Amino acid sequence: MRVNPLRMWRRYRRLRREAADEAQFLRRRFGDDAVAAARAKLRRADVTSWGRAVLRRAIRILRTEG
């Protein structure tokens, strides 16, 4: 299998965009408790691997801006 750098770059950009959107949603909905809400959401069993990656990145965004 060959690695397609363009596909990887697009996936990375999509991850960043979705994480930023998720962080903004959590910040609006939960305010100062956004990081705790994201961690609780991350512990749920029904979150996919993509969702986990988005939430981990959103937590990182919330911590740096917090």
Side-chain angles (χ1 to χ4, degrees):
M1 187 167 99
R2 298 175 77 185
V3 176
N4 186 345
L6 184 60
R7 186 175 179 193
M8 290 175 60
W9 181 64
R10 285 181 181 154
R11 182 180 167 95
Y12 172 73
R13 278 192 0 208
R14 181 177 161 221
L15 176 66
R16 287 182 53 195
R17 185 175 57 247
E18 288 188 20
D21 290 345
E22 184 71 19
Q24 183 180 11
F25 166 76
L26 289 167
R27 201 176 310 115
R28 274 196 322 258
R29 184 156 184 211
F30 297 103
D32 292 338
D33 296 330
V35 175
R39 285 188 180 136
K41 197 172 182 181
L42 190 59
R43 283 191 297 266
R44 290 178 31 187
D46 62 339
V47 179
T48 62
S49 61
W50 178 257
R52 289 186 195 284
V54 169
L55 283 169
R56 284 186 194 109
R57 191 150 186 103
I59 289 170
R60 190 181 324 160
I61 291 169
L62 290 169
R63 271 199 236 140
T64 58
E65 292 179 356

